[in-house]
């Protein structure tokens, strides 16, 4: 029997959407209040740098459920409302205008783009990408202008690059490291993506920092650490994200690159949970705290938090996974490659369908697959169960990974 407790959810993003769905599936009888500082029902962000940015899908398709689904729920949605702080001892959430009391609280405040605070940063036509209106503004700018400088060769930067190319723009990508996506993929995968982008006309500048922007009203030039200037009509900054944790400042809830939670997504306050991009959880797989920025993590953590709120003892120990779409290439990543001691390439680079397997002490810890979904799917299970692979035939793509255990 579920208890009739009031739940408040802070943030109305992707993980909040799943928390609502899970609470409704469990026929949760208590009052549910969702407070979000955007004007929208929970929506998916991945299309913001892909099909929504290109204009291939419209806004309605972003919502995690059709608008009617949310309209029909008996939920107190508070849009355009920013939560200032929480007061755990009083079980209160404070906004500027009023207080909301809770029995159980889910914090799902996500993350915000890391800012580049340099001279000229407030010029017009310099963009960050996190929200629907960011994507709409960028799209309209891509349509009207000829050149763009992308700062940061991570997922978001490279996905926007591919769309800007589709719009016929001249694209220059500037990166402080010596290759693309260096934080997350091996050199082989970086090389593949650099080559494909270059074939489409993208220019890369590696090992350089952006030190300032120049322009009158709009950005006109991007200045690099060697004082070289690159002329541009538009700039996009994609240099990572910072978790939104400020609302727990001055409470006993600890933060360290995110709100610290255990493997049940619970903070050190027993009725307060944190999920999604804002949470830094204890991983039973990796035996350390990790903060993930992915849809899989947002959805899985929402389900775990709701289970535990509803009295079902659930533990979060999923293998992380992620994807990125650039041109016609789908990159799917299972696991976390940090600490690998060997990589093995399987498949056909020429046919643009291959995987990079990351091994540590002969155990598979991560797989990056490009247009090779079977390797990705089978890797998830092998990584989760730490099953040793027979290494002799690993490079033979005709033999499936599951037949090598
Ligand atoms: P969010 O969806 O960001 O929701 C948090 C919400 O809380 C926001 O609406 C925010 O405004 C609100 N909020 C914050 N503070 C407050 C406050 N104090 N009061 C009220 N409301 C507040 N992941 C993938 O797995 N694959 C991809 O291909 C992929 N592509 C992406 C592309 C882009 C452009 C972006 C931005 C992200 C992408 N991600 C991708 C990451 C994925 O979208 C996030 O991991 C996911 O949205 C996290 O969900 P969340 O609920 O934690 O945060």
């Amino acid at each position: 029997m579920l208890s009739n407790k009031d739940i408040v959810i802070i943030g109305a993003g992707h993980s909040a959407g799943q928390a609502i769905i899970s609470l409704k599936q469990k026929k949760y009888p208590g009052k549910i209040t969702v407070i979000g500082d955007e004007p929208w029902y929970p929506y998916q962000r991945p299309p913001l740098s892909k099909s929504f940015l290109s204009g291939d899908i419209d806004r309605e398709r972003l919502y995690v459920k059709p608008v009617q689904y949310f309209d029909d729920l008996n939920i107190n949605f508070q849009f355009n409302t920013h939560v200032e702080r929480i007061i755990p001892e009083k079980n209160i959430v404070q906004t500027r205008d009023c207080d909301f009391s809770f029995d159980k609280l889910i914090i799902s405040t996500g993350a915000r783009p890391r800012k580049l605070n340099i001279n000229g940063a407030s010029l017009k036509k310099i963009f960050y990408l996190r929200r629907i209106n960011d994507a709409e503004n960028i799209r309209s700018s891509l349509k009207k202008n000829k050149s763009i400088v992308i700062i940061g060769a991570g997922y978001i930067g490279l996905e926007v690059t591919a769309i800007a190319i589709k719009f016929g723009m001249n694209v220059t990508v500037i990166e402080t490291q010596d290759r693309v996506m260096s934080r997350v993929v091996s050199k082989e995968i970086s090389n593949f993506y650099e080559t494909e982008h270059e074939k489409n006309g993208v220019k890369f500048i590696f090992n350089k920092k952006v030190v300032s922007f120049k322009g009158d009203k709009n950005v006109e030039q991007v200045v690099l650490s060697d004082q070289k200037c690159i002329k541009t009509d538009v700039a996009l900054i994609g240099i990572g994200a910072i978790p939104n944790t400020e609302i727990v400042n001055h409470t006993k809830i600890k933060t360290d690159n995110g709100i610290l939670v255990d493997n049940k997504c619970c903070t050190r306050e027993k009725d307060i949970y944190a999920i999604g991009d804002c949470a830094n959880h204890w991983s039973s797989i990796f035996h350390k705290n990790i903060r993930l920025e992915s849809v899989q993590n947002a959805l899985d953590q929402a389900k775990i938090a709701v289970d535990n709120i509803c009295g079902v003892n659930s533990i979060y120990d999923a293998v992380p996974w992620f994807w990125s779409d650039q041109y016609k290439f789908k990159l799917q990543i299972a696991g976390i490659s940090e600490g690998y001691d060997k990589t093995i390439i399987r498949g056909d680079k020429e046919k643009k369908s291959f995987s990079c397997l990351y091994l540590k002490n002969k155990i598979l810890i991560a797989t990056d697959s490009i247009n090779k979904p079977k390797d990705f799917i089978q890797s998830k299970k092998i990584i989760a169960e730490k099953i040793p692979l027979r290494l002799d035939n690993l490079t033979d793509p005709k033999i499936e990974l599951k037949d090598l255990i």
Side-chain angles (χ1 to χ4, degrees):
M1 182 66 180
L2 291 175
S3 59
N4 198 17
K5 302 234 166 136
D6 289 353
I7 295 190
V8 171
I9 302 177
I10 308 175
H14 210 149
S15 60
Q18 180 58 49
I20 295 166
I21 294 166
S22 297
L23 285 165
K24 287 295 155 185
Q25 280 167 348
K26 291 188 181 309
K27 301 194 174 5
Y28 189 79
K31 184 176 161 201
I32 302 170
T33 301
V34 181
I35 311 169
D37 61 8
E38 292 190 76
W40 319 109
Y41 281 132
Y43 66 90
Q44 310 167 60
R45 288 174 210 274
L48 301 186
S49 51
K50 308 175 182 73
S51 50
F52 183 72
L53 185 63
S54 64
D56 290 336
I57 66 164
D58 59 21
R59 196 188 281 164
E60 296 292 306
R61 293 266 304 277
L62 296 177
Y63 294 118
V64 302
K65 284 277 188 191
V67 168
Q68 194 62 46
Y69 172 90
F70 291 113
D71 277 344
D72 291 346
L73 298 176
N74 187 19
I75 286 182
N76 175 18
F77 276 103
Q78 300 284 323
F79 296 116
N80 295 313
T81 308
H82 186 79
V83 169
E84 308 278 338
R85 68 186 64 80
I86 61 173
I87 309 178
E89 339 47 282
K90 294 186 180 163
N91 282 37
I92 279 177
V93 165
Q94 285 189 324
T95 68
R96 201 185 56 190
D97 299 324
C98 73
D99 293 355
F100 296 85
S101 61
F102 64 85
D103 296 307
K104 301 277 180 189
L105 178 66
I106 300 179
I107 303 173
S108 58
T109 45
R112 59 182 180 270
R114 185 187 302 282
K115 294 278 162 88
L116 201 53
N117 293 317
I118 53 177
N119 280 345
S122 58
L123 287 167
K124 294 214 163 56
K125 294 203 201 166
I126 299 176
F127 296 101
Y128 293 90
L129 177 52
R130 183 78 197 180
R131 296 176 162 196
I132 288 181
N133 58 316
D134 297 329
E136 287 172 342
N137 292 337
I138 294 169
R139 191 200 302 132
S140 120
S141 225
L142 296 184
K143 280 183 177 165
K144 287 188 215 142
N145 293 283
K146 290 205 171 72
S147 59
I148 182 167
V149 167
I150 308 264
I151 300 156
Y155 297 120
I156 291 183
L158 294 180
E159 287 179 356
V160 176
T161 295
I163 305 290
I165 289 291
K166 202 173 162 185
F167 280 101
M169 297 189 87
N170 292 321
V171 187
T172 307
V173 179
I174 300 164
E175 166 59 50
T176 52
Q177 302 300 307
D178 59 358
R179 59 189 177 90
V180 304
M181 299 186 281
S182 62
R183 242 177 3 108
V184 281
V185 300
S186 65
K187 275 194 177 148
E188 287 91 339
I189 301 287
S190 295
N191 286 343
F192 173 84
Y193 276 93
E194 279 159 34
T195 308
E196 292 303 326
H197 279 288
E198 280 166 350
K199 278 189 208 159
N200 280 284
V202 176
K203 286 186 219 73
F204 285 103
I205 300 177
F206 291 113
N207 300 310
K208 289 279 170 329
K209 262 189 173 172
V210 171
V211 292
S212 64
F213 296 106
K214 283 186 183 166
D216 185 10
K217 227 165 91 192
N218 299 321
V219 64
E220 290 167 23
Q221 292 185 44
V222 176
V223 185
L224 304 184
S225 35
D226 58 5
Q227 296 309 311
K228 193 178 161 199
C229 294
I230 300 156
K231 286 191 177 156
T232 191
D233 301 326
V234 184
L236 173 105
I237 303 172
I239 54 169
I242 295 173
N244 293 320
T245 61
E246 289 74 7
I247 57 169
V248 303
N249 288 352
H250 314 297
T251 72
K252 286 189 195 140
I253 296 173
K254 290 220 164 116
T255 61
D256 179 9
N257 179 31
I259 298 172
L260 293 181
V261 293
D262 59 17
N263 55 11
K264 295 177 178 178
C265 299
C266 195
T267 65
R268 62 185 291 178
E269 297 279 355
K270 74 175 174 37
D271 292 323
I272 303 181
Y273 294 76
I275 59 175
D277 286 10
C278 71
N280 185 336
H281 72 275
W282 172 254
S283 163
S284 328
I285 297 190
F286 301 102
H287 301 289
K288 61 174 187 176
N289 271 85
I290 50 175
R291 188 177 72 81
L292 298 167
E293 291 173 12
S294 74
V295 167
Q296 164 267 327
N297 177 65
L299 302 185
D300 286 352
Q301 290 196 330
K303 292 176 195 162
I304 296 291
V306 168
D307 271 357
N308 285 292
I309 285 172
C310 294
V312 179
N313 186 9
S314 272
I315 281 181
Y316 181 52
D317 59 0
V319 170
W321 58 265
F322 195 87
W323 79 95
S324 174
D325 296 333
Q326 295 165 44
Y327 310 107
K328 53 185 191 301
F329 307 114
K330 181 168 281 293
L331 171 64
Q332 291 172 297
I333 300 181
I336 295 181
S337 58
E338 193 186 297
Y340 67 88
D341 51 34
K342 189 177 173 61
T343 58
I344 293 176
I345 299 291
R346 264 172 70 78
D348 194 337
K349 274 192 184 169
E350 297 304 310
K351 288 192 180 142
K352 303 178 195 313
S353 165
F354 68 98
S355 299
C356 179
L357 310 184
Y358 299 82
L359 303 167
K360 186 177 179 182
N361 301 328
K362 299 188 177 157
I363 298 285
L364 184 70
I365 56 166
T367 298
D368 301 340
S369 297
I370 296 171
N371 294 350
K372 215 166 181 330
K374 259 191 194 168
D375 277 2
F376 165 70
I377 290 164
Q378 293 175 11
S379 290
K380 283 201 278 187
K381 184 177 158 62
I382 297 167
I383 296 166
E385 295 175 12
K386 298 192 167 77
I387 311 170
L389 282 170
R390 285 198 338 260
L391 298 184
D392 41 351
N393 289 323
L394 214 48
T395 52
D396 184 349
K398 288 193 271 337
I399 306 177
E400 292 193 19
L401 283 180
K402 67 177 170 49
D403 296 326
L404 287 169
I405 55 182

